[in-house]
Amino acid sequence: MELNTIERDDIGAAAEDLVVLPAATRKVFVKTYGCQMNVYDSQRMTDALAIDGYAATDAIGEADLVLLNTCHIREKAAEKVYSELGRIRELKAERAKAGREMLVGVAGCVAQAEGAEIIRRSPLVDLVIGPQTYHRLPGVLAKARSGEKIVETDYAVEDKFEHLPQPKRAELIRRGVTAFLTVQEGCDKFCTFCVVPYTRGSEVSRPVAQIVAEAERLADAGVREVTLLGQNVNAWHGRGEDSEEWGLGRLLFRLAEIPGLARLRYTTSHPRDMDDELIAAHRDLPALMPYLHLPVQSGSDRILKAMNRRHMAKDYLTLIDRIRAARNDIALSGDFIVGFPGETEADFEATMQLVEDVNYASAFSFKYSPRPGTPGAEMNDQVPEAVKDERLQRLQALLLKQQQHFGASLVGKTIDTLIEKPGRQAGQKVGRSPWLQPVIVDEKAGEIGDIIRVRITKTGYNSLFAELA
């Protein structure tokens, strides 16, 4: 959809007076909000823009194009975007006075949800593009540079991944030794608190050949660890290299065959899609790290039903037992929402009991906040903010205690660590444990990309300290 009426921001210069730089000298600044998938999407948008002559920059002041890649999951997400646009307005005005063009775009889930409303509220925005159509960015930008205000949020009928250009090897090397790789998008679960089915659409799985080709390019550029991404990643069922339908477990085994690729992870999962083949992969595949993010949201069956999770607390606990029986050193992570409409103190205590029963290594917890257009926003018996605050503090105190206990349990143990980057302090490097914690080691312990054996000597607030074993 296009907005064909050309609006002009009050920036002190007419569009025809601005200097439009040659393609080879343009720069793009991308600000990413939210989840790992948005990080991946931002990288692929940068890749798509590279063929249009845009080089990425970390300095917004020198950008000819500013893109906000937005997330709609957290509270007041849209208002944060409008606040950021207010700050960009001043920058765009300064650039216009100097005779320099600056295009502004909003991408991602807020773009999908708000659409043309973004341009109505913030006329400085030149283009709005949803998460399923960012492969069309070069064409959208060409129209925007001519003065049109563009809204591109229709769900694409084509496979966007087939239309995205591949980043150059040098660019992949620059990004480091760990990488995200989207294999699945969208969700068919329709949890009553969640906007994802409305902003990302229904579940779509990429074919195996496409995933393997991207993973091979990453490995060739020195990537040692890949995290497979999806809104509901363990629902992935893609066309295999034998033309049969594969599940995520089989895909993981295939990716483990790629030379140089030493570690595999995946996120985010739904308990109802944790099948036998995937559990067996945790048992039998050394490359699959012993860490699983498996959100449950609540320990109350009544609230789980209201959330439309379509499982009960005992189903989740039984599943955890099966996973731990397959891999006894696995660490569990989860998501929790407190204060969902109708949640009583007894419901909350059921959540606390589930947390006690599982004993998480890490977790994310949030107060419920209504999302426009979701069933939860229309429910009666909304929980007062003060009650949500108090419950969240209690839950987070318990989760922090468990996280610290897990870290302390590793002291004295010898583990493998992937060295990722230089440390913040001189003389240090930072690695990643099998359980996703940062590991601080001496800079002489190894080179970036090495997997080394270390002995954990002590714990920090969110990290581990280690010496060569």
Side-chain angles (χ1 to χ4, degrees):
M1 177 176 69
E2 293 182 6
L3 296 182
N4 293 316
T5 55
I6 298 176
E7 301 180 43
R8 181 169 293 163
D9 196 18
D10 185 18
I11 55 177
E16 57 266 24
D17 298 327
L18 298 179
V19 175
V20 180
L21 293 174
T25 61
R26 294 183 189 134
K27 294 184 179 181
V28 57
F29 173 88
V30 183
K31 182 169 183 176
T32 305
Y33 300 78
C35 67
Q36 299 99 323
M37 187 171 287
N38 266 16
V39 175
Y40 175 88
D41 284 353
S42 291
Q43 291 175 341
R44 299 312 304 270
M45 282 192 281
T46 303
D47 297 338
L49 290 168
I51 63 169
D52 202 35
Y54 283 90
T57 178
D58 294 327
I60 189 172
E62 65 181 29
D64 305 287
L65 169 63
V66 175
L67 284 175
L68 304 182
N69 190 15
T70 61
C71 174
H72 212 302
I73 297 298
R74 301 291 173 252
E75 188 175 7
K76 299 179 180 178
E79 294 308 313
K80 292 177 182 177
V81 172
Y82 290 119
S83 177
E84 184 70 22
L85 288 171
R87 290 186 284 270
I88 294 172
R89 172 187 291 274
E90 298 177 6
L91 184 60
K92 185 172 183 176
E94 292 174 4
R95 290 288 295 267
K97 289 176 182 177
R100 291 284 300 277
E101 176 193 52
M102 175 186 276
L103 295 177
V104 178
V106 179
C109 291
V110 172
Q112 188 70 39
E114 298 277 311
E117 175 68 7
I118 294 174
I119 292 178
R120 189 192 70 79
R121 287 185 58 176
S122 296
L124 81 155
V125 174
D126 300 287
L127 61 105
V128 177
I129 190 162
Q132 304 306 329
T133 51
Y134 61 73
H135 57 296
R136 299 175 183 168
L137 255 176
V140 168
L141 273 174
K143 295 178 181 178
R145 282 195 293 267
S146 71
E148 290 185 71
K149 297 285 188 177
I150 307 298
V151 177
E152 185 75 75
T153 55
D154 292 339
Y155 288 108
V157 295
E158 71 270 26
D159 178 359
K160 70 179 180 184
F161 295 101
E162 288 187 350
H163 289 77
L164 285 168
Q166 299 304 325
K168 295 180 179 179
R169 187 171 184 271
E171 173 61 21
L172 291 177
I173 292 172
R174 186 188 67 81
R175 292 175 185 174
V177 297
T178 64
F180 296 127
L181 199 171
T182 293
V183 300
Q184 182 270 344
E185 287 193 286
C187 186
D188 295 341
K189 298 296 186 289
F190 287 92
C191 298
T192 55
F193 54 80
C194 186
V195 297
V196 166
Y198 311 102
T199 58
R200 289 275 183 171
S202 59
E203 291 176 0
V204 176
S205 296
R206 296 177 69 184
V208 172
Q210 200 179 90
I211 296 167
V212 169
E214 185 169 341
E216 287 175 339
R217 284 190 295 272
L218 292 170
D220 178 64
V223 169
R224 306 299 312 280
E225 176 180 301
V226 166
T227 300
L228 307 184
L229 299 180
Q231 269 85 32
N232 193 18
V233 69
N234 58 343
W236 178 88
H237 282 85
R239 188 177 70 255
E241 295 164 319
D242 55 3
S243 297
E244 295 182 0
E245 185 179 86
W246 291 19
L248 186 63
R250 189 173 179 186
L251 174 65
L252 287 163
F253 275 98
R254 174 65 182 88
L255 294 175
E257 297 173 0
I258 297 175
L261 202 57
R263 289 178 158 195
L264 297 170
R265 304 180 189 272
Y266 62 91
T267 194
T268 290
S269 304
H270 193 288
R272 293 182 62 245
D273 292 308
M274 200 77 197
D275 61 22
D276 294 342
E277 187 177 41
L278 186 52
I279 294 174
H282 281 280
R283 181 191 65 209
D284 300 331
L285 189 59
L288 182 55
M289 292 295 95
Y291 178 88
L292 176 61
H293 184 65
L294 192 63
V296 64
Q297 308 299 354
S298 174
S300 163
D301 288 342
R302 195 175 68 85
I303 296 301
L304 288 170
K305 183 177 181 181
M307 289 177 167
N308 194 36
R309 293 291 290 175
R310 290 183 283 180
H311 64 78
M312 294 187 293
K314 69 176 183 180
D315 301 325
Y316 182 84
L317 292 172
T318 299
L319 178 59
I320 296 299
D321 288 342
R322 292 181 58 211
I323 294 167
R324 282 181 164 151
R327 184 75 188 258
N328 59 14
D329 65 340
I330 200 163
L332 272 298
S333 173
D335 288 346
F336 294 92
I337 295 173
V338 301
F340 190 78
E343 183 187 73
T344 64
E345 182 63 21
D347 293 321
F348 176 70
E349 287 297 337
T351 297
M352 295 288 280
Q353 185 59 56
L354 183 141
V355 172
E356 291 275 14
D357 292 342
V358 173
N359 192 16
Y360 289 91
S362 65
F364 303 92
S365 52
F366 312 94
K367 293 186 298 182
Y368 172 75
S369 57
R371 293 291 175 269
T374 62
E378 307 300 322
M379 290 181 179
N380 297 321
D381 204 10
Q382 298 284 332
V383 177
E385 285 299 314
V387 175
K388 293 181 190 177
D389 288 337
E390 189 273 337
R391 289 176 183 170
L392 184 63
Q393 290 178 22
R394 286 159 57 194
L395 174 60
Q396 289 183 338
L398 175 57
L399 291 169
L400 178 60
K401 178 182 175 182
Q402 291 185 349
Q403 177 182 322
Q404 292 174 338
H405 182 268
F406 178 72
S409 73
L410 298 175
V411 174
K413 292 186 176 181
T414 300
I415 67 170
D416 289 335
T417 295
L418 169 63
I419 301 180
E420 286 190 350
K421 57 187 177 182
R424 291 183 179 178
Q425 297 184 16
Q428 294 180 341
K429 284 193 173 85
V430 179
R432 183 180 298 199
S433 81
W435 305 283
L436 215 54
Q437 304 121 307
V439 181
I440 313 301
V441 297
D442 186 275
E443 66 177 352
K444 297 178 182 178
E447 300 301 319
I448 292 173
D450 289 347
I451 296 176
I452 61 174
R453 293 288 286 173
V454 299
R455 183 179 297 105
I456 305 302
T457 57
K458 63 178 180 177
T459 65
Y461 186 74
N462 284 313
S463 58
L464 304 172
F465 292 82
E467 62 187 11
L468 272 176

